Amino acid sequence: MARSGNDPLADLAHRTRSEDPRFARAMDRGEPCRPREYRHRSAWLLLAAASVLFGVGVVISDGLLIASGLVVAGAAGHLFDPQRDRPGLRRPS
């Protein structure tokens, strides 16, 4: 029996390879790594830097450091979003 060109597993594998190649290679080896949605090391580092900026700004009463800390915290919050790499996708409300 011939297989149709509409194979959902093949489509899923292709989409996974294009969206997160590191995860797909790890799955091929049988040693899965964490998917991109759960890798937040840079976001945590940026959030720590924002906390330091904000804290120093509060201690020395410098509004520019406080504002910078808040802006950097907003940027770090954006990095925690799992859908940030797909600008055309909207989350369901």
Side-chain angles (χ1 to χ4, degrees):
M1 178 158 129
R3 296 190 65 148
S4 67
N6 193 9
D7 186 12
L9 291 178
D11 293 340
L12 178 64
H14 177 70
R15 194 170 68 228
T16 302
R17 287 185 196 288
S18 65
E19 290 177 0
D20 197 351
R22 178 181 167 208
F23 180 72
R25 282 192 308 270
M27 289 300 287
D28 287 340
R29 288 191 311 261
E31 303 168 357
C33 67
R34 295 175 66 178
R36 179 179 299 153
E37 292 86 14
Y38 301 107
R39 292 184 225 143
H40 297 299
R41 184 175 308 157
S42 61
W44 282 112
L45 290 173
L46 197 58
L47 190 59
S51 299
V52 168
L53 277 173
F54 183 77
V56 170
V58 168
V59 168
I60 65 172
S61 298
D62 186 6
L64 185 59
L65 283 177
I66 293 171
S68 298
L70 291 173
V71 169
V72 173
H78 177 71
L79 291 177
F80 282 107
D81 182 17
Q83 301 292 328
R84 70 179 182 270
D85 293 335
R86 299 182 216 151
L89 272 172
R90 298 187 81 168
R91 286 192 181 151
S93 300

